[in-house]
Amino acid sequence: MPCNRGYITNWNWTEAQRPIIDLRTVYLALKKLGIMWNEAPQSLNNWHEARNSLTSSQKVAQRIISLSRLANLVNEIQTLNIPQITLSNGMILSWRNGSYSIGKQERIRSGQQTQTGAEISQFVTNFDAAYASIEIEMQNELDNILEDIESGKSQLAAEEIEAHRARIDSEKNALNKSRQQLRETRMKHVETVGETLGYAIRKQRIGKKIKYVLVRNP
Amino acid sequence: MAEENIQIIVHDDGRIEFSTHDIKGEACMEELEKILGELVDDIDKAKTTSEYHEPPSQRKTNISAKKQQKTGSGSS
């Protein structure tokens, strides 16, 4: 029987370059990197399938159904509560304070240096690039649809325009809501911890940013 | 004496940017760790400036020292 004595098991975590908040973007970024999300929620698989099935060759009625389905699935995905995402490469995305951190379990001898630090760092870099590129791609896709509708270029029936708008709204709202939650979590954290540590806190809104100045009380 | 302070910016997309001012030596990292440690995993990778290497007792008001890390796209 193998003896594990002398080994410790810990998790090596690191935050990505940007906050990871959107499950759909995570799903597509992983696909882009060729990494499986082990046991991904069915609603995400359905969403991906519905998104891919949207083609101009579909009949209008069929496209309207697909668009409505997409909008519903986006709303459904938004309600998912997934504290941990396990990947086929052994990495884990763990929900912490409003966004996901990336980590990997490692078994090292007590006193040894971490073996997974460089591997995680490399994956974070790759994932970050894929996430950013998918985020832009999804945003552009919606913007282009909206632009075509508003310019009259798409020449769609009123019903289809309505379905497109509903889908775009659901996607944009989902992302905005995630960002807002993250912002609020982080603001609350700064305010609570700062106050607990005895700082006087000045809060200032600068455009869309919130600036805190924490001053040590004399 | 300059006022010791920590400035934290929460961006629209949730990214955090921070800098410390007039907190000398390792105390600034310790303070940041206490405040942001739970939010920022790799806080120890923040860029250190000249103030980091000054002893805590030394006070200079003419150094515009800054320690900054962005946990976001770095585009701001």
Side-chain angles (χ1 to χ4, degrees), chain A residues 185-200:
Chain A
T185 304
R186 293 190 157 180
M187 284 165 59
K188 194 176 171 194
H189 177 91
V190 170
E191 288 170 19
T192 311
V193 176
E195 205 175 290
T196 307
L197 292 172
Y199 282 94

Side-chain angles (χ1 to χ4, degrees), chain A residues 45-64:
Chain A
N45 291 328
N46 293 344
W47 169 79
H48 184 237
E49 198 182 298
R51 190 169 182 263
N52 285 348
S53 73
L54 263 185
T55 61
S56 52
S57 59
Q58 274 180 318
K59 285 184 179 169
V60 174
Q62 187 57 46
R63 212 158 46 233
I64 290 172

